[in-house]
Amino acid sequence: MLKKLSRHRALPGFGLSMGYTVVYLSLIILIPLAVLFLKASTLSFTEFWRTVTDERVVASYKLTLWTSFFAAFINLVFGTLIAWVLVRYDFWGKRLADAIVDLPFALPTAIAGIALTTIYAPNGWIGKYFAAMGIKIAYTPLGIMIALTFIGLPFVVRSVQPVLQDLDSRYEEAAATLGANSMQIFFKIIFPAIFPAMMTGFALAFARALGEYGSVVFISGNMPMKTEIIPLLIITKLEQFNYGGAAAIAAVMLLFSFILLFLINVWQWKTAKKQQMI
Amino acid sequence: MNELVLEVKFVSMKKWLLIGVALGFLGLFIVIPLLAVFSEALKKGIQLYFAAFNDADALSAIKLTLVTAAISVPINTVFGIVAAWAIAKFDFRGKNILITLIDIPFAVSPVIAGLVFVLLFGSQGLFGSFLAAHDLKIVFAVPGIVLATIFVTFPFVVRELIPMMQEQGTEEEQAAMTLGANGWQMFFRVTLPNIKWGLLYGVILCIARAMGEFGAVSVVSGHIRGLTNTIPLHVEILYNEYNFQAAFAMASLLTMLALVTLGLKSLVEWKTKKYVNGG
Amino acid sequence: MGISLKEVTKEFGTSRAVDNITLDIPTGDFTALLGPSGSGKTTLLRLIAGLEKIDAGTILLNGSDFSAKTVRERKVGFVFQHYALFKHMNIFDNIAFGLKVRPRKQRPSKKEITEKVMELLKLVQLEHTASRYPSQLSGGQRQRIALARALAIEPEVLLLDEPFGALDAKVRQELRHWLREIHQKLNITTLFVTHDQEEALEMADTIVVMNHGRVEQIGPPEEVYQNPANAFVYSFLGRVNELRGAALRGYLGNTIPNGDEVGYIRPHEIGLNRTLKGSSVPTEVSHVTRVGSTVRIDLKRLDLGHIFEAEMSTEKYRELGPVQKGDILYADLNHIVIFNGKNNTTQPVLENKTLRAAYL
């Protein structure tokens, strides 16, 4: 009885803009990615399994995973510290410090790569001191970790900063009037509030580190089984025209990244819901 | 009385300790690499610095980088504006899924980004035989580089614009409509001026990334000197040839662009804060 | 003529924000859409403006069917609660906007636009702000500019969505006067939405009382205030005391109150005496407050323990003599109006008591 006209919206242009968005998204992102999974599936299951469980491949998975994890963890700790210092304290040069936090985001990865290698090579600015002590940084997993720390630095800081800024000081004041000391206030009031943001930042830094190529490929030395990261292996397969193998390794990596991305979103959605209920 | 003084001293000691550690970390991880770039570039004197850019291969690398950015950035900017409009100003089911999909290039390794285009357009790729038959080259040629760059810089403008447009709401646009403006007038006279700073920042970020992209382009380009090398790829070549000074000289160009990007971000934040406080 | 709504309905999901409303808004009048949150008044306003699309029914303006026209085509002036001024344009450009976006043929010359804008700025008494930006003006000033901007396109109808909702109490008062003056000068059909019944009673020529997407009553303020059509209208406008159940004993003649009925009496309709008179109720004073030129007394019924409020002028209060907490006073509730919860049945009218049949 009531004729339902097509959903009218106050502002114009919805149909057009949505259409364009979906088409462009499909063309540039979705179809190419689908092709990758398609190619990976052209491998027989045994071939696929053999490729992704090859010794060298497994070594690179392990290396990529643990260096990324530790780099993200370092960023978790120091990133939170940096966010804290930027929000809570005033000091000369604060605005400058705040601005340069984003450098790893804006600087091309290859440049970061060569700069870091130059610094940490055995004859480098910092590397030479460690070389004197017999510690190698460049061309070892340690070097890889340093590069990944650089890359992930802004993520935790920029995740935690806004939350800290928006934190109502009234909660802390209330706690203080009730007799809590500053340690207790930190752990019982501030920390729980920034924990979700810390985790988001960590996950983003981790995800970023997993796929990182440009900054790592110079400092790692690319020794198979020792300092070879997954992206490099993919390139190696490509250069051998082993498209299927490259696709297989990439598919596994993509799946992992997507699951990570999905988990991040679910976590964010859940914590947002929980906080709304408060 | 003494206790109070000690307590205050302890608090301020703690504060400066924390600041010191934080700044130390930043200094180690960010300032030093920055200094390294410029110091290595200028190591052999300023004349040699400029000489690095006179090289034919260097110049063609610069040219290719600029062309790539000149194509991919406007395309992604238009997309960014259109998508942000659809997402920020309307409510619809599946909005979150759409946003997540747009974020995909952030989660994908740049090498994989390059890989997908090789799988599509490479000689063994899906369209490989078609392209060969028509004598079209995408992979190992400029079009491939542009495509890979578009993929990688896809989300930058959208992600800058969405929160901004969402925060501004739709009332000004509704007001414009009641005053008789049509869709385009409303967009150009009301919406666009309100987002101009965020748009500028998103575009600059997009440019910086487009010019600096390494992994994806590396896979797709074929590294043909003088033809399919962008600045970052050229830097890699020079570095691998141990021509450090020239490598860092080229690198310094993009580093300066990165610093400009950072400066612009501060400017945008300052400007938008002005709007938020005032309007 | 004027705005005519016929069987207009709007649904959001499964709920009806506007439920089959048929309404005629008189031309030239200053009409208030009054109701609580969720009553559908803002939705109705936006339907008339074209900012929402109706699901059923028709909207006519001066006889022509507006239902299919877009916002642009309707040429209605709309003033938003939060002004919606274009923050990146100065005041002059804000007001000139509607004129500048007209299609080329209908666009006035630059000179004409300037004249019109300055004329409007003069009307709203803000000539000196022409080159300023919205962020530099106060809330009250912004709303006046928003009005000037809406008037620039010479609309046939002016729609205001809780225009003073975001302003301080004092500013609200000033703007109420001012808006009425403007309306008297221009005589445009004006429709404004408010949840503040005091505002509606003070400003409007006609009040449309809405609840749950329906029109409860429409009429001039005195009519709606003194002869409310049902319990909702009675209780929504002005202050009321509500009486139910046992409290209604004696006011229903021979009928025993069965819980469906509700009785209302306004504080100033309660007579207070020191001595028992007729059927007045004994009460104990629990609180006395002076508000401006009236005195409010909170009273507790000695029989049932309910508390209700009486109000009187300072003169009448003085006649009572000084009243203190704990004093016994006798309250005369004869002006009570009772709604019986059933549709369209009348109860026997008893001495000094009126029963009104209504739907609750």
Side-chain angles (χ1 to χ4, degrees):
Chain A
M1 236 204 37
L2 272 177
K3 52 179 172 104
K4 239 341 172 186
L5 306 132
S6 69
R7 182 107 159 266
H8 165 79
R9 297 163 197 278
L11 298 184
F14 179 68
L16 205 67
S17 53
M18 262 304 269
Y20 178 78
T21 302
V22 170
V23 166
Y24 191 69
L25 180 70
S26 308
L27 279 180
I28 299 288
I29 309 283
L30 298 180
I31 295 179
L33 283 181
V35 168
L36 183 139
F37 285 107
L38 216 76
K39 190 70 186 186
S41 68
T42 61
L43 257 51
S44 73
F45 184 72
T46 33
E47 248 188 86
F48 182 88
W49 192 248
R50 205 165 19 102
T51 311
V52 302
T53 52
D54 171 76
E55 234 188 347
R56 196 171 157 193
V57 174
V58 170
S60 79
Y61 282 145
K62 280 198 205 156
L63 178 75
T64 306
L65 271 171
W66 76 258
T67 49
S68 304
F69 185 85
F70 273 108
F73 186 78
I74 294 175
N75 277 324
L76 180 68
V77 172
F78 284 94
T80 308
L81 173 67
I82 293 173
W84 176 270
V85 163
L86 286 176
V87 172
R88 295 257 158 163
Y89 301 139
D90 265 317
F91 49 92
W92 183 85
K94 180 166 106 154
R95 285 192 63 199
L96 189 64
D98 193 11
I100 63 172
V101 164
D102 276 343
L103 185 72
F105 212 52
L107 191 70
T109 53
I111 297 180
I114 59 174
L116 288 171
T117 314
T118 308
I119 296 172
Y120 292 102
N123 57 354
W125 294 20
I126 297 182
K128 62 183 178 214
Y129 296 110
F130 284 89
M133 294 191 283
I135 303 176
K136 269 184 86 178
I137 301 183
Y139 316 124
T140 68
L142 187 57
I144 297 180
M145 246 169 56
I146 291 184
L148 294 177
T149 308
F150 173 88
I151 282 301
L153 197 147
F155 288 103
V156 176
V157 180
R158 294 312 189 203
S159 278
V160 174
Q161 223 179 345
V163 176
L164 262 181
Q165 240 158 14
D166 285 345
L167 211 56
D168 200 332
S169 59
R170 281 182 287 187
Y171 292 116
E172 294 165 63
E173 287 165 9
T177 62
L178 293 166
N181 64 34
S182 45
M183 282 300 256
Q184 291 172 314
I185 292 181
F186 179 79
F187 281 109
K188 288 195 186 273
I189 299 198
I190 300 177
F191 190 77
I194 61 174
F195 188 71
M198 285 171 70
M199 284 296 109
T200 305
F202 174 83
L204 288 172
F206 185 47
R208 180 84 159 86
L210 284 178
E212 182 52 27
Y213 175 68
S215 56
V216 176
V217 76
F218 293 97
I219 202 172
S220 69
N222 304 319
M223 289 175 287
M225 303 293 290
K226 289 227 202 93
T227 57
E228 209 173 30
I229 51 172
I230 299 180
L232 185 73
L233 257 186
I234 296 179
I235 290 189
T236 311
K237 295 270 179 222
L238 264 181
E239 283 170 355
Q240 297 164 351
F241 293 103
N242 185 355
Y243 284 16
I249 301 178
V252 171
M253 193 185 186
L254 259 186
L255 220 60
F256 192 79
S257 304
F258 284 158
I259 294 178
L260 199 60
L261 192 71
F262 178 71
L263 286 176
I264 296 174
N265 276 343
V266 166
W267 167 291
Q268 275 184 320
W269 177 72
K270 270 201 168 155
T271 39
K273 247 181 86 169
K274 212 162 61 156
Q275 282 175 344
Q276 261 171 20
M277 288 181 171
I278 291 177
Chain B
M1 217 11 207
N2 272 339
E3 274 178 5
L4 194 64
V5 171
L6 271 177
E7 164 114 22
V8 169
K9 273 214 174 119
F10 176 69
V11 164
S12 80
M13 231 176 63
K14 187 179 76 165
K15 163 179 160 179
W16 289 108
L17 185 68
L18 289 178
I19 295 180
V21 172
L23 289 185
F25 189 79
L26 279 180
L28 176 65
F29 275 95
I30 299 199
V31 176
I32 292 188
L34 259 183
L35 292 176
V37 170
F38 290 109
S39 133
E40 291 288 322
L42 297 167
K43 210 173 193 168
K44 301 213 183 118
I46 200 143
Q47 270 189 336
L48 231 65
Y49 176 77
F50 284 112
F53 304 120
N54 255 329
D55 179 63
D57 290 337
L59 285 173
S60 73
I62 295 176
K63 188 166 142 226
L64 179 62
T65 303
L66 289 174
V67 165
T68 307
I71 299 178
S72 46
V73 170
I75 292 181
N76 277 334
T77 301
V78 168
F79 167 77
I81 295 177
V82 172
W85 176 260
I87 292 175
K89 303 278 181 183
F90 300 98
D91 269 318
F92 54 91
R93 280 216 324 245
K95 197 196 275 205
N96 278 327
I97 299 181
L98 189 63
I99 296 179
T100 308
L101 287 178
I102 291 181
D103 268 352
I104 285 182
F106 278 161
V108 170
S109 168
V111 167
I112 295 185
L115 174 64
V116 298
F117 288 105
V118 172
L119 290 179
L120 269 173
F121 302 117
S123 54
Q124 283 185 35
L126 205 61
F127 295 108
S129 33
F130 173 82
L131 292 170
H134 290 80
D135 203 23
L136 288 170
K137 285 195 91 181
I138 294 189
V139 175
F140 301 157
V142 178
I145 295 179
V146 172
L147 277 175
T149 307
I150 291 180
F151 183 101
V152 169
T153 57
F154 186 79
F156 279 97
V157 177
V158 200
R159 290 181 97 239
E160 267 319 297
L161 288 181
I162 289 182
M164 209 178 205
M165 285 172 89
Q166 268 175 339
E167 208 189 302
Q168 288 172 356
T170 56
E171 270 202 353
E172 281 191 36
E173 279 88 355
Q174 288 181 40
M177 299 207 59
T178 62
L179 292 167
N182 64 34
W184 295 109
Q185 286 173 320
M186 172 193 67
F187 181 76
F188 283 107
R189 286 173 187 257
V190 178
T191 313
L192 217 49
N194 274 335
I195 58 171
K196 65 177 175 232
W197 292 109
L199 183 63
L200 182 65
Y201 178 58
V203 168
I204 297 286
L205 209 60
C206 197
I207 293 178
R209 189 78 156 90
M211 290 176 64
E213 175 51 34
F214 180 66
V217 175
S218 182
V219 170
V220 150
S221 85
H223 300 257
I224 306 173
R225 274 185 109 114
L227 273 180
T228 60
N229 270 334
T230 57
I231 296 180
L233 293 179
H234 196 63
V235 167
E236 183 192 23
I237 291 182
L238 290 173
Y239 187 81
N240 287 335
E241 290 175 347
Y242 297 99
N243 191 351
F244 295 137
Q245 188 266 338
F248 277 103
M250 294 287 279
S252 68
L253 285 179
L254 292 178
T255 310
M256 286 189 277
L257 179 62
L259 291 173
V260 166
T261 309
L262 292 184
L264 227 107
K265 180 176 191 224
S266 293
L267 184 69
V268 168
E269 282 179 350
W270 179 65
K271 285 272 177 180
T272 44
K273 223 171 273 184
K274 214 172 66 162
Y275 271 159
V276 167
N277 282 337
Chain C
M1 281 310 207
I3 307 175
S4 228
L5 300 160
K6 294 202 193 314
E7 294 169 8
V8 171
T9 302
K10 174 73 183 170
E11 285 179 353
F12 286 116
T14 48
S15 62
R16 285 204 175 181
V18 172
D19 194 354
N20 207 4
I21 289 192
T22 299
L23 188 60
D24 278 315
I25 294 175
T27 319
D29 258 18
F30 196 100
T31 305
L33 290 180
L34 174 67
S37 304
S39 54
K41 53 194 196 299
T42 298
T43 309
L44 190 61
L45 196 77
R46 289 171 66 90
L47 286 171
I48 296 174
L51 290 171
E52 308 277 356
K53 194 131 189 184
I54 53 179
D55 289 328
T58 32
I59 299 181
L60 301 161
L61 175 63
N62 286 338
S64 54
D65 188 347
F66 258 34
S67 322
K69 292 201 180 172
T70 63
V71 185
R72 286 186 73 207
E73 293 165 338
R74 296 192 190 195
K75 276 191 50 161
V76 291
F78 201 100
V79 176
F80 294 81
Q81 183 177 5
H82 295 283
Y83 335 121
L85 292 177
F86 305 127
K87 49 173 140 22
H88 66 280
M89 290 186 210
N90 66 23
I91 298 302
F92 184 95
D93 289 329
N94 259 282
I95 300 179
F97 185 85
L99 300 168
K100 286 196 195 159
V101 295
R102 286 209 188 139
R104 197 138 295 167
K105 288 182 223 129
Q106 298 164 24
R107 206 180 301 170
S109 69
K110 251 181 121 174
K111 184 159 164 279
E112 288 170 334
I113 293 183
T114 311
E115 270 174 23
K116 181 88 190 167
V117 172
M118 292 320 286
E119 184 188 310
L120 285 163
L121 278 173
K122 209 162 155 219
L123 178 70
V124 301
Q125 297 160 314
L126 285 170
E127 299 104 302
H128 58 287
T129 61
S131 54
R132 295 214 209 140
Y133 282 81
S135 56
Q136 296 168 300
L137 301 185
S138 72
Q141 290 173 321
R142 285 183 215 174
Q143 199 56 298
R144 287 192 271 164
I145 297 295
L147 183 68
R149 182 179 68 174
L151 290 171
I153 58 172
E154 287 169 10
E156 309 215 21
V157 170
L158 189 60
L159 305 172
L160 302 110
D161 185 4
E162 306 216 36
F164 310 135
L167 301 170
D168 290 339
K170 189 124 205 299
V171 179
R172 236 182 284 165
Q173 289 279 27
E174 290 167 2
L175 285 186
R176 282 190 210 169
H177 282 301
W178 173 82
L179 186 60
R180 263 271 26 154
E181 268 174 36
I182 302 261
H183 176 258
Q184 259 156 6
K185 258 191 230 172
L186 301 175
N187 228 0
I188 302 184
T189 306
T190 305
L191 191 55
F192 84 102
V193 159
T194 179
H195 62 268
D196 184 346
Q197 41 93 10
E198 212 178 281
E199 192 167 274
L201 289 169
E202 197 181 297
M203 293 178 71
D205 296 321
T206 311
I207 300 185
V208 177
V209 183
M210 288 183 68
N211 191 30
H212 291 317
R214 301 231 178 109
V215 174
E216 301 283 356
Q217 188 173 359
I218 170 170
E222 316 79 54
E223 172 75 22
V224 172
Y225 186 76
Q226 275 161 356
N227 295 326
N230 58 41
F232 172 78
V233 179
Y234 196 113
S235 62
F236 193 77
L237 280 116
R239 301 173 78 92
V240 286
N241 291 299
E242 188 177 293
L243 291 91
R244 288 183 187 266
L248 295 173
R249 239 180 295 144
Y251 296 102
L252 293 169
N254 293 327
T255 336
I256 301 169
N258 62 8
D260 274 349
E261 299 93 350
V262 62
Y264 291 112
I265 184 165
R266 303 215 188 266
H268 62 84
E269 289 172 334
I270 299 178
L272 290 176
N273 292 296
R274 290 262 178 204
T275 51
L276 183 65
K277 259 193 195 167
S279 53
S280 49
V281 177
T283 65
E284 179 187 315
V285 174
S286 69
H287 198 63
V288 180
T289 338
R290 269 218 159 78
V291 182
S293 63
T294 49
V295 181
R296 283 199 199 133
I297 307 179
D298 290 341
L299 301 157
K300 183 164 131 175
R301 284 177 76 124
L302 290 179
D303 52 354
L304 296 170
H306 303 158
I307 296 190
F308 58 92
E309 191 183 275
E311 195 177 283
M312 61 181 61
S313 63
T314 335
E315 292 88 53
K316 276 205 118 168
Y317 178 71
R318 270 192 228 119
E319 282 172 26
L320 261 183
V323 174
Q324 278 173 347
K325 183 169 165 170
D327 284 2
I328 303 292
L329 293 174
Y330 294 90
D332 170 9
L333 302 175
N334 286 349
H335 288 282
I336 191 172
V337 173
I338 301 179
F339 297 95
N340 71 356
K342 298 190 191 72
N343 277 341
N344 298 325
T345 41
T346 40
Q347 304 275 304
V349 175
L350 296 142
E351 173 192 311
N352 283 341
K353 295 157 192 55
T354 27
L355 290 165
R356 205 81 58 82
Y359 52 99
L360 272 165

